[in-house]
């Protein structure tokens, strides 16, 4: 039967109102407001969008001057949007990308917008404050003239977010980018509704500010810290009972860093499922973890120096119960005994392929009896370390005395940033000689600048089981079918 095309919508006006509101929710609020002039039915349609989204960056793309009337009216449009919204209209999110010093220091006005959103029951607050937005738009072609220096110096202030504004509110997610924050020191209640906290490029005013903040967020489930700036800190502690996911990225900057100081990272999260530490703990000399429920872990130093070997090995013992692990291959000879990863199914090693690296790969494989997939990612910026124990990163002498591997569940090996070097080919031959691969070996060439990613190359593949069934049981099935027909 043919569909009745007369009942299908032919124009956007024929769409249901809830569908139109959903479409408008993908637009910035100022663009959604412009649709009110299209027709009478669209006049108040943008009021039903469940949130407000404002971004100052497009105004810097349109104007080549540091100051322009369009950007000056941007702040007024935000205040007018709150004024035009019906007072009973709740908000699910409020996203603001702003540069408050560009408008004569409207810090109090920005805080009034945050309070207005909180009064409307907002669930998600995402605040991003550009320090130099014109540099993000034109990092190479921008020119700063001498007469503009005094104006730019006044734009270097940092916005301070007050956690007091969201106390006893319905806010469940807070994301802060490029700002500072403060919270009341003497409070009886905390932020019970807050479940997701993201701090990116945030300036801390005292050394225990993060520790005190997370103690007030008793129901926090997701915590992400990236490029945190602090002074005078000698320890980093996260003690949360209900935290499920913890992400630490970027350098933890210390103004008073001393090589002889004991820097401690202490994470006590009994319900943590996912832990990601990328280029974050390189300055810590001691790490303590209490993560009995951990399922996936990603721990990546900035560089693989020999001085970090003891710290790397102290981390390995905490990952014995994980199912997915991404870590650098810092195993060396003579080695310390690796723990047994009894539940590990997917392993991603940031590694090289020289002799010392191959020994480390084999050590991981022998310690992972349940392993199903291994990804070996070559990165020349992170695999470089000081030569010791007689090993070198250049191509080694090859022989046919392969290591005997017994990995019964291993199904797939993937080599990313594959360069087709002798060491890589030797590693592939070692796996093929041991016959540990049930399915295939895949290589992904390095991505060239300005080009699309290269397609994976299958270096070796076993005959599919479906083809084996056809070859073996196909003639038998045909024989019985012919006998039944007769």
């Amino acid at each position: 039967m043919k569909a009745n095309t007369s009942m299908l919508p032919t124009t956007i006006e024929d769409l249901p109102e809830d569908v139109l509101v959903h479409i408008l929710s993908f637009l910035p609020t100022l663009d959604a407001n412009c649709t009110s002039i299209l027709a009478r039915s669209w006049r108040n349609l943008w009021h039903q969008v469940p949130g407000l989204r404002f971004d100052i960056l497009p105004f810097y793309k349109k104007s080549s001057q540091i100051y322009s009337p369009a950007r000056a009216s941007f702040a007024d449009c935000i205040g007018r949007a709150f004024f035009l919204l019906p007072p009973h209209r709740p908000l699910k999110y409020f996203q603001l990308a702003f540069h408050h010093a560009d408008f004569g220091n409207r810090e109090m006005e920005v805080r009034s917008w945050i309070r207005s959103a909180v009064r409307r029951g907002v669930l998600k607050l995402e605040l991003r404050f550009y320090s130099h937005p014109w540099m993000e738009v034109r990092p190479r072609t921008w020119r700063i003239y001498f007469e503009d220096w005094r104006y730019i110096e006044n734009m270097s202030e940092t916005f301070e977010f007050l956690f007091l504004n969201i106390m006893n509110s319905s806010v469940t997610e807070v994301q802060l980018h490029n700002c500072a924050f403060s919270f009341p020191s003497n409070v009886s209640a905390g932020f019970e509704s807050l479940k997701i906290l993201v701090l990116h490029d945030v300036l801390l005013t005292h050394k225990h500010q993060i520790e005190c903040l997370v103690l007030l967020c008793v129901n926090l489930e997701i915590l992400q810290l990236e490029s945190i700036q602090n002074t005078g800190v000698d320890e980093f502690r996260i003690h949360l009972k209900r935290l499920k996911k913890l992400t630490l990225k970027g350098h933890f900057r210390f103004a008073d860093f001393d090589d002889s100081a004991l820097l401690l990272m202490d994470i006590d999260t009994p319900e943590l499922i996912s832990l990601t530490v990328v280029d974050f703990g390189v300055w810590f000399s001691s790490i303590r973890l209490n993560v009995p429920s951990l399922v996936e872990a990603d721990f990546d130093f900035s560089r693989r120096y020999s001085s970090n070997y003891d710290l790397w090995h102290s981390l390995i013992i905490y990952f014995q119960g994980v199912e997915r692990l991404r870590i650098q291959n810092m195993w060396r000879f003579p080695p310390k005994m690796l723990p047994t990863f009894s539940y590990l199914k997917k392993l991603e090693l940031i590694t090289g392929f020289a002799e010392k690296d191959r020994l480390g790969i084999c050590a991981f494989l022998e310690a992972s009896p349940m392993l199903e997939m291994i990804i070996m990612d070559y990165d020349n910026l992170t695999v470089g370390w000081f030569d010791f124990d007689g090993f070198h990163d250049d191509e080694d002498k090859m022989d046919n005395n392969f290591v005997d591997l017994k990995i019964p569940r291993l199904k797939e090996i993937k080599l990313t940033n594959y360069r087709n070097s002798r060491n890589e080919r030797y590693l592939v031959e070692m796996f093929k000689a041991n016959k540990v691969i049930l399915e295939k070996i895949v290589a992904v060439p390095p991505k060239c600048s300005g080009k699309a990613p290269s397609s994976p190359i299958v270096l070796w593949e076993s005959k599919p089981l479906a083809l084996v069934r056809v070859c073996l049981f196909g003639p038998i099935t045909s024989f019985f079918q012919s006998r039944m027909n007769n």
Side-chain angles (χ1 to χ4, degrees), residues 292-295 317-323 340-344:
S293 303
L294 197 64
V295 175
I317 62 176
Y318 297 110
F319 302 147
Q320 298 183 53
V322 300
E323 296 181 5
T340 301
F341 305 100
S342 303
Y343 305 97
L344 188 61

Side-chain angles (χ1 to χ4, degrees), residues 104-325:
N105 193 4
R106 300 198 180 195
E107 185 172 0
M108 299 304 297
E109 194 169 354
V110 174
R111 291 178 180 174
S112 68
W113 302 335
I114 298 174
R115 290 193 296 269
S116 299
V118 172
R119 284 196 299 267
R120 294 175 179 272
V122 69
L123 300 179
K124 177 181 177 181
L125 278 176
E126 182 177 353
L127 307 177
R128 185 186 303 270
F129 297 93
Y130 297 113
S131 56
H132 303 290
W134 60 89
M135 295 298 292
E136 298 189 23
V137 177
R138 303 177 180 84
R140 297 182 179 179
T141 60
W142 183 260
R143 297 293 182 266
I144 300 178
Y145 298 98
F146 177 78
E147 58 269 15
D148 295 326
W149 276 109
R150 180 175 299 179
Y151 180 77
I152 294 173
E153 288 178 357
N154 295 330
M155 299 168 62
S156 60
E157 302 177 7
T158 301
F159 178 81
E160 183 179 13
F161 176 77
L162 303 179
F163 271 90
L164 180 63
N165 292 331
I166 65 171
M167 184 170 292
N168 299 323
S169 67
S170 59
V171 177
T172 60
E173 180 178 355
V174 172
Q175 297 188 24
L176 301 179
H177 301 260
N178 196 18
C179 65
F181 69 88
S182 64
F183 52 88
S185 56
N186 299 323
V187 292
S188 58
F191 311 102
E192 288 81 3
S193 63
L194 194 60
K195 295 184 178 181
I196 302 175
L197 178 60
V198 178
L199 303 178
H200 181 274
D201 200 9
V202 170
L203 177 64
L204 306 184
T205 56
H206 60 86
K207 62 180 183 180
H208 296 298
Q209 196 170 9
I210 291 290
E211 181 180 353
C212 296
L213 177 60
V214 296
L215 288 177
L216 296 174
C217 306
V218 293
N219 296 319
L220 200 63
E221 297 181 358
I222 299 177
L223 176 61
Q224 179 176 336
L225 307 177
E226 185 170 351
S227 300
I228 303 297
Q229 303 180 32
N230 203 348
T231 57
V233 67
D234 56 356
E235 59 185 15
F236 177 79
R237 299 180 184 272
I238 298 293
H239 291 183
L240 287 171
K241 294 182 179 180
R242 301 183 180 180
L243 193 65
K244 301 293 191 302
K245 182 177 181 180
L246 176 61
T247 303
L248 308 174
K249 290 185 178 182
H251 288 292
F252 200 103
R253 308 179 194 278
F254 307 101
D256 303 330
F257 177 72
D258 184 6
D259 292 338
S260 62
L262 178 62
L263 303 180
L264 170 66
M265 176 187 286
D266 184 7
I267 299 177
D268 185 0
T269 51
E271 296 186 8
L272 192 69
I273 297 176
S274 175
L275 173 63
T276 301
V277 182
V278 178
D279 196 13
F280 188 89
V282 66
W283 299 117
F284 292 94
S285 56
S286 177
I287 296 179
R288 292 202 304 259
L289 302 179
N290 180 23
V291 286
S293 303
L294 197 64
V295 175
E296 57 181 9
D298 181 353
F299 210 105
D300 184 4
F301 293 95
S302 59
R303 286 187 179 273
R304 195 173 56 161
Y305 296 128
S306 59
S307 58
N308 286 332
Y309 171 72
D310 293 332
L311 182 61
W312 174 86
H313 196 277
S314 66
L315 286 170
I316 290 293
I317 62 176
Y318 297 110
F319 302 147
Q320 298 183 53
V322 300
E323 296 181 5
R324 296 177 294 276
L325 175 62

